Amino acid sequence: MHTFAALIILNGYVAGARRRVRERVPDAELGATTLELVIITLGLIAVATVLVVAITAAVQRRVDQIT
């Protein structure tokens, strides 16, 4: 449940950052630069890593309960 809440909070921060960037940048310059794409990709990898760690911990906890 904590992971889901963290993802919701992270999504809120991302949405807020997008809105602020769009307010500052003129319409002619709206588009993703290479740096933005790299940052987004690294963010997605970080989120995936957190999910893998959370799922692994949950499975390990269940296995420990079985044995």
Side-chain angles (χ1 to χ4, degrees):
M1 189 61 168
H2 297 292
T3 305
F4 185 66
L7 288 176
I8 290 173
I9 292 170
L10 180 64
N11 192 20
Y13 283 131
V14 169
R18 281 187 196 148
R19 182 180 46 82
R20 284 191 295 275
V21 167
R22 287 187 180 139
E23 287 173 354
R24 286 190 219 165
V25 178
D27 289 338
E29 296 182 18
L30 283 180
T33 64
T34 304
L35 179 61
E36 290 170 337
L37 292 176
V38 168
I39 291 171
I40 291 169
T41 303
L42 290 175
L44 290 174
I45 291 171
V47 169
T49 303
V50 168
L51 287 175
V52 167
V53 168
I55 291 171
T56 303
V59 168
Q60 189 63 39
R61 203 173 326 129
R62 294 291 181 181
V63 168
D64 289 342
Q65 288 177 353
I66 292 172
T67 57

XYZ file of all heavy atoms in Angstrom:
504
model
N 0.817 -1.191 0.000
C 0.000 0.000 0.000
C 0.862 1.255 0.000
O 0.521 2.246 -0.617
C -0.937 -0.042 1.206
C -1.960 1.034 1.185
S -3.010 0.876 -0.264
C -4.286 1.986 0.124
N 2.015 1.187 0.674
C 2.895 2.351 0.728
C 3.453 2.680 -0.649
O 3.623 3.843 -0.985
C 4.040 2.103 1.712
C 3.578 1.907 3.124
N 3.028 2.931 3.851
C 3.566 0.815 3.918
C 2.702 2.473 5.059
N 3.016 1.192 5.119
N 3.729 1.638 -1.439
C 4.264 1.862 -2.785
C 3.234 2.568 -3.642
O 3.567 3.492 -4.397
C 4.657 0.513 -3.418
O 5.562 -0.158 -2.547
C 5.319 0.727 -4.765
N 1.993 2.152 -3.548
C 0.926 2.777 -4.340
C 0.758 4.247 -3.956
O 0.630 5.107 -4.826
C -0.385 2.008 -4.127
C -1.501 2.494 -4.993
C -1.438 2.347 -6.371
C -2.611 3.105 -4.449
C -2.458 2.800 -7.183
C -3.638 3.565 -5.240
C -3.559 3.401 -6.619
N 0.806 4.529 -2.676
C 0.693 5.914 -2.216
C 1.876 6.742 -2.711
O 1.719 7.892 -3.120
C 0.605 5.954 -0.695
N 3.071 6.142 -2.691
C 4.258 6.855 -3.171
C 4.137 7.161 -4.662
O 4.530 8.243 -5.117
C 5.513 6.031 -2.895
N 3.595 6.225 -5.423
C 3.410 6.456 -6.860
C 2.401 7.570 -7.118
O 2.571 8.375 -8.039
C 2.967 5.168 -7.557
C 4.043 4.094 -7.681
C 3.457 2.831 -8.286
C 5.206 4.598 -8.508
N 1.357 7.637 -6.320
C 0.367 8.701 -6.478
C 1.003 10.059 -6.181
O 0.808 11.029 -6.922
C -0.849 8.444 -5.563
C -1.639 7.235 -6.077
C -1.736 9.679 -5.479
C -2.756 6.797 -5.167
N 1.784 10.119 -5.119
C 2.459 11.373 -4.767
C 3.452 11.760 -5.853
O 3.520 12.915 -6.268
C 3.147 11.239 -3.398
C 2.084 11.117 -2.307
C 4.075 12.406 -3.125
C 2.614 10.738 -0.954
N 4.224 10.784 -6.351
C 5.184 11.044 -7.422
C 4.482 11.550 -8.672
O 4.947 12.487 -9.325
C 5.980 9.779 -7.734
C 7.026 9.884 -8.830
C 8.112 10.861 -8.409
C 7.609 8.530 -9.125
N 3.354 10.960 -8.999
C 2.581 11.394 -10.168
C 2.107 12.838 -9.990
O 2.100 13.619 -10.942
C 1.393 10.460 -10.385
C 0.738 10.674 -11.719
O 1.341 11.225 -12.636
N -0.503 10.250 -11.841
N 1.731 13.208 -8.792
C 1.327 14.586 -8.521
C 2.472 15.560 -8.712
O 2.298 16.636 -9.292
N 3.663 15.191 -8.237
C 4.829 16.049 -8.439
C 5.162 16.204 -9.919
O 5.493 17.289 -10.381
C 6.043 15.489 -7.694
C 6.023 15.734 -6.214
C 6.261 14.701 -5.315
C 5.780 17.000 -5.690
C 6.253 14.906 -3.950
C 5.762 17.221 -4.327
C 5.997 16.170 -3.463
O 5.978 16.390 -2.124
N 5.079 15.114 -10.668
C 5.378 15.166 -12.102
C 4.368 16.058 -12.816
O 4.739 16.871 -13.676
C 5.405 13.742 -12.707
C 5.442 13.787 -14.222
C 6.591 12.967 -12.174
N 3.103 15.912 -12.483
C 2.073 16.743 -13.117
C 2.292 18.216 -12.792
O 2.155 19.086 -13.667
C 0.684 16.295 -12.664
N 2.638 18.512 -11.561
C 2.914 19.897 -11.175
C 4.124 20.464 -11.904
O 4.119 21.619 -12.350
N 5.164 19.653 -12.042
C 6.367 20.100 -12.753
C 6.052 20.360 -14.222
O 6.509 21.359 -14.795
C 7.471 19.050 -12.622
N 5.272 19.483 -14.833
C 4.888 19.691 -16.237
C 4.117 20.992 -16.399
O 4.340 21.737 -17.342
C 4.007 18.541 -16.715
C 4.743 17.312 -17.074
C 3.785 16.322 -17.696
N 4.362 15.007 -17.728
C 3.689 13.894 -17.617
N 2.384 13.936 -17.459
N 4.295 12.737 -17.667
N 3.196 21.247 -15.483
C 2.389 22.466 -15.577
C 3.262 23.707 -15.455
O 3.122 24.657 -16.226
C 1.325 22.458 -14.478
C 0.388 23.661 -14.524
C -0.662 23.620 -13.429
N -0.156 23.297 -12.123
C 0.423 24.170 -11.302
N 0.591 25.412 -11.665
N 0.840 23.781 -10.111
N 4.190 23.686 -14.498
C 5.071 24.848 -14.322
C 5.970 25.065 -15.529
O 6.206 26.199 -15.940
C 5.906 24.688 -13.054
C 5.098 24.952 -11.792
C 5.980 25.044 -10.569
N 6.651 23.782 -10.256
C 6.108 22.806 -9.545
N 4.882 22.927 -9.076
N 6.783 21.708 -9.292
N 6.461 23.987 -16.115
C 7.310 24.116 -17.308
C 6.502 24.683 -18.456
O 6.963 25.564 -19.188
C 7.929 22.752 -17.680
C 8.541 22.791 -19.075
C 8.988 22.357 -16.658
N 5.294 24.215 -18.628
C 4.453 24.705 -19.731
C 4.079 26.168 -19.549
O 3.895 26.886 -20.532
C 3.196 23.856 -19.844
C 3.494 22.497 -20.424
C 2.239 21.715 -20.702
N 2.599 20.421 -21.245
C 2.024 19.293 -20.920
N 1.027 19.303 -20.056
N 2.401 18.161 -21.462
N 3.955 26.614 -18.306
C 3.645 28.023 -18.057
C 4.829 28.921 -18.409
O 4.645 30.038 -18.875
C 3.275 28.232 -16.583
C 1.916 27.687 -16.215
C 1.651 27.765 -14.723
O 2.574 28.137 -13.961
O 0.525 27.439 -14.310
N 6.040 28.442 -18.222
C 7.231 29.252 -18.465
C 7.689 29.244 -19.910
O 8.265 30.210 -20.384
C 8.389 28.730 -17.613
C 8.254 29.061 -16.170
C 9.542 28.728 -15.469
N 9.237 28.155 -14.161
C 10.083 27.504 -13.421
N 11.290 27.314 -13.848
N 9.721 27.043 -12.259
N 7.495 28.138 -20.616
C 8.041 27.976 -21.961
C 7.034 28.484 -22.987
O 5.861 28.134 -22.929
C 8.360 26.490 -22.223
C 8.871 26.277 -23.625
C 9.376 25.987 -21.218
N 7.483 29.291 -23.952
C 6.572 29.736 -25.018
C 6.078 28.547 -25.840
O 6.725 27.508 -25.905
C 7.441 30.657 -25.875
C 8.645 30.957 -25.071
C 8.802 29.879 -24.062
N 4.943 28.731 -26.508
C 4.335 27.647 -27.282
C 5.249 27.136 -28.388
O 5.200 25.971 -28.758
C 3.004 28.100 -27.885
C 1.931 28.267 -26.823
O 2.074 27.661 -25.747
O 0.961 29.009 -27.068
N 6.078 28.002 -28.960
C 6.949 27.596 -30.057
C 8.012 26.599 -29.599
O 8.542 25.848 -30.406
C 7.621 28.818 -30.671
N 8.310 26.580 -28.311
C 9.366 25.714 -27.810
C 8.836 24.501 -27.060
O 9.586 23.857 -26.335
C 10.294 26.527 -26.900
C 11.021 27.629 -27.631
C 11.959 28.390 -26.719
O 12.290 27.873 -25.641
O 12.351 29.498 -27.088
N 7.577 24.187 -27.205
C 7.027 23.016 -26.536
C 7.484 21.764 -27.263
O 7.195 21.565 -28.427
C 5.499 23.067 -26.495
C 4.888 23.996 -25.467
C 3.371 23.936 -25.540
C 5.343 23.644 -24.075
N 8.187 20.934 -26.580
C 8.698 19.693 -27.147
C 9.748 19.147 -26.201
O 10.379 19.889 -25.456
N 9.941 17.867 -26.251
C 10.878 17.239 -25.336
C 12.286 17.289 -25.907
O 12.514 16.909 -27.054
C 10.466 15.799 -25.076
N 13.208 17.780 -25.125
C 14.606 17.749 -25.526
C 15.199 16.406 -25.126
O 14.576 15.621 -24.396
C 15.398 18.880 -24.842
O 15.383 18.651 -23.430
C 14.811 20.238 -25.155
N 16.399 16.148 -25.569
C 17.060 14.886 -25.237
C 17.259 14.767 -23.731
O 17.051 13.701 -23.155
C 18.413 14.803 -25.960
O 18.190 14.959 -27.354
C 19.091 13.491 -25.704
N 17.638 15.856 -23.092
C 17.847 15.827 -21.646
C 16.554 15.486 -20.911
O 16.547 14.684 -19.968
C 18.389 17.166 -21.161
C 18.635 17.285 -19.660
C 19.664 16.250 -19.214
C 19.089 18.682 -19.312
N 15.446 16.059 -21.338
C 14.161 15.757 -20.699
C 13.805 14.286 -20.866
O 13.320 13.641 -19.927
C 13.060 16.627 -21.288
C 13.170 18.082 -20.902
C 12.222 18.962 -21.690
O 11.815 18.553 -22.800
O 11.888 20.047 -21.203
N 14.052 13.749 -22.061
C 13.747 12.338 -22.299
C 14.631 11.433 -21.438
O 14.168 10.404 -20.927
C 13.919 12.000 -23.777
C 12.900 12.646 -24.710
C 13.230 12.313 -26.158
C 11.496 12.201 -24.372
N 15.894 11.813 -21.277
C 16.786 11.027 -20.430
C 16.316 11.068 -18.979
O 16.292 10.044 -18.293
C 18.245 11.545 -20.544
C 19.134 10.942 -19.465
C 18.798 11.243 -21.923
N 15.922 12.237 -18.509
C 15.446 12.360 -17.134
C 14.176 11.540 -16.925
O 14.013 10.854 -15.913
C 15.227 13.845 -16.777
C 16.575 14.559 -16.704
C 14.467 13.992 -15.468
C 16.477 16.060 -16.578
N 13.269 11.585 -17.887
C 12.032 10.797 -17.788
C 12.354 9.309 -17.763
O 11.800 8.541 -16.965
C 11.081 11.148 -18.947
C 10.539 12.566 -18.765
C 9.947 10.131 -19.054
C 9.801 13.101 -19.967
N 13.269 8.882 -18.629
C 13.655 7.470 -18.681
C 14.280 7.032 -17.365
O 13.950 5.963 -16.840
C 14.642 7.232 -19.842
O 14.030 7.653 -21.057
C 15.026 5.775 -19.943
N 15.168 7.843 -16.823
C 15.793 7.493 -15.541
C 14.759 7.450 -14.418
O 14.836 6.597 -13.526
C 16.900 8.484 -15.204
C 18.152 8.396 -16.075
C 19.118 9.517 -15.718
C 18.816 7.048 -15.947
N 13.778 8.345 -14.469
C 12.705 8.316 -13.483
C 11.882 7.039 -13.559
O 11.540 6.440 -12.538
N 11.582 6.619 -14.785
C 10.821 5.381 -14.957
C 11.614 4.163 -14.485
O 11.057 3.243 -13.884
C 10.424 5.215 -16.428
C 9.363 6.192 -16.934
C 9.175 6.027 -18.434
C 8.054 5.985 -16.208
N 12.916 4.180 -14.748
C 13.755 3.085 -14.266
C 13.778 3.071 -12.741
O 13.714 2.005 -12.114
C 15.178 3.204 -14.847
C 15.148 2.913 -16.351
C 16.152 2.266 -14.141
C 16.444 3.219 -17.072
N 13.844 4.246 -12.124
C 13.836 4.322 -10.661
C 12.524 3.797 -10.086
O 12.515 3.055 -9.097
C 14.074 5.764 -10.214
N 11.410 4.169 -10.707
C 10.105 3.681 -10.243
C 10.025 2.160 -10.398
O 9.551 1.456 -9.498
C 8.959 4.375 -11.007
C 7.628 3.707 -10.735
C 8.897 5.844 -10.634
N 10.508 1.647 -11.519
C 10.496 0.197 -11.728
C 11.358 -0.508 -10.681
O 10.987 -1.569 -10.173
C 10.992 -0.132 -13.135
N 12.496 0.078 -10.341
C 13.372 -0.508 -9.327
C 12.684 -0.555 -7.974
O 12.759 -1.562 -7.261
C 14.677 0.303 -9.231
O 15.299 0.335 -10.516
C 15.628 -0.295 -8.222
N 11.998 0.524 -7.624
C 11.274 0.556 -6.346
C 10.188 -0.519 -6.327
O 10.004 -1.211 -5.314
C 10.672 1.958 -6.108
C 9.687 1.939 -4.952
C 11.770 2.974 -5.860
N 9.493 -0.680 -7.438
C 8.450 -1.713 -7.500
C 9.043 -3.110 -7.369
O 8.481 -3.963 -6.675
C 7.662 -1.586 -8.807
C 6.711 -0.400 -8.889
C 6.093 -0.311 -10.279
C 5.628 -0.520 -7.843
N 10.163 -3.365 -8.032
C 10.804 -4.683 -7.938
C 11.238 -4.959 -6.500
O 11.032 -6.060 -5.985
C 12.003 -4.775 -8.904
C 12.865 -5.985 -8.609
C 11.509 -4.812 -10.341
N 11.815 -3.968 -5.849
C 12.245 -4.148 -4.461
C 11.037 -4.421 -3.561
O 11.084 -5.309 -2.700
C 13.036 -2.913 -3.977
C 13.243 -2.942 -2.478
C 14.367 -2.824 -4.708
N 9.959 -3.678 -3.766
C 8.761 -3.869 -2.934
C 8.151 -5.251 -3.150
O 7.782 -5.933 -2.188
C 7.741 -2.778 -3.244
N 8.062 -5.674 -4.393
C 7.477 -6.991 -4.692
C 8.378 -8.104 -4.161
O 7.897 -9.088 -3.594
C 7.221 -7.132 -6.207
C 6.095 -6.182 -6.619
C 6.895 -8.566 -6.576
C 5.900 -6.067 -8.113
N 9.683 -7.947 -4.333
C 10.618 -8.952 -3.826
C 10.518 -9.074 -2.306
O 10.509 -10.184 -1.764
C 12.060 -8.587 -4.232
O 12.128 -8.474 -5.647
C 13.054 -9.626 -3.749
N 10.430 -7.962 -1.621
C 10.304 -7.998 -0.164
C 8.996 -8.663 0.256
O 8.978 -9.455 1.216
C 10.385 -6.583 0.398
N 7.916 -8.364 -0.449
C 6.623 -8.973 -0.113
C 6.655 -10.480 -0.334
O 6.158 -11.256 0.509
C 5.517 -8.332 -0.952
N 7.239 -10.900 -1.442
C 7.321 -12.345 -1.716
C 8.212 -13.022 -0.687
O 7.877 -14.104 -0.186
C 7.844 -12.583 -3.160
C 8.207 -14.038 -3.371
C 6.816 -12.133 -4.171
N 9.326 -12.412 -0.366
C 10.231 -13.005 0.627
C 9.549 -13.127 1.980
O 9.711 -14.124 2.681
C 11.498 -12.156 0.747
C 12.567 -12.793 1.588
C 13.075 -14.092 0.992
O 13.221 -14.204 -0.215
N 13.320 -15.065 1.832
N 8.768 -12.123 2.346
C 8.040 -12.177 3.619
C 7.053 -13.347 3.624
O 6.922 -14.065 4.617
C 7.297 -10.855 3.827
C 6.985 -10.563 5.242
C 6.408 -9.175 5.470
N 6.954 -8.170 4.556
C 6.225 -7.340 3.827
N 4.919 -7.353 3.892
N 6.787 -6.460 3.016
N 6.371 -13.544 2.491
C 5.408 -14.667 2.414
C 6.137 -16.002 2.474
O 5.657 -16.939 3.108
C 4.594 -14.567 1.115
C 3.711 -13.385 1.056
C 2.583 -13.514 2.029
N 1.717 -12.341 1.915
C 0.662 -12.146 2.640
N 0.310 -13.040 3.533
N -0.050 -11.060 2.490
N 7.259 -16.115 1.795
C 8.014 -17.367 1.818
C 8.502 -17.661 3.235
O 8.460 -18.812 3.683
C 9.210 -17.287 0.821
C 10.170 -18.447 1.027
C 8.700 -17.262 -0.607
N 8.941 -16.641 3.938
C 9.376 -16.841 5.323
C 8.229 -17.309 6.218
O 8.437 -18.060 7.160
C 9.985 -15.551 5.884
C 11.338 -15.229 5.260
O 11.946 -16.152 4.665
O 11.752 -14.056 5.353
N 7.009 -16.866 5.922
C 5.854 -17.300 6.706
C 5.523 -18.755 6.434
O 5.064 -19.474 7.323
C 4.634 -16.435 6.369
C 4.713 -15.032 6.917
C 3.509 -14.188 6.507
O 2.684 -14.628 5.700
N 3.424 -12.981 7.051
N 5.764 -19.191 5.210
C 5.441 -20.583 4.840
C 6.417 -21.558 5.495
O 6.027 -22.618 5.960
C 5.456 -20.749 3.303
C 4.292 -19.961 2.702
C 5.364 -22.210 2.906
C 4.329 -19.888 1.194
N 7.675 -21.179 5.498
C 8.684 -22.129 6.018
C 8.835 -22.054 7.512
O 8.353 -21.300 8.232
C 10.066 -21.864 5.397
O 10.455 -20.527 5.662
C 10.023 -22.141 3.930
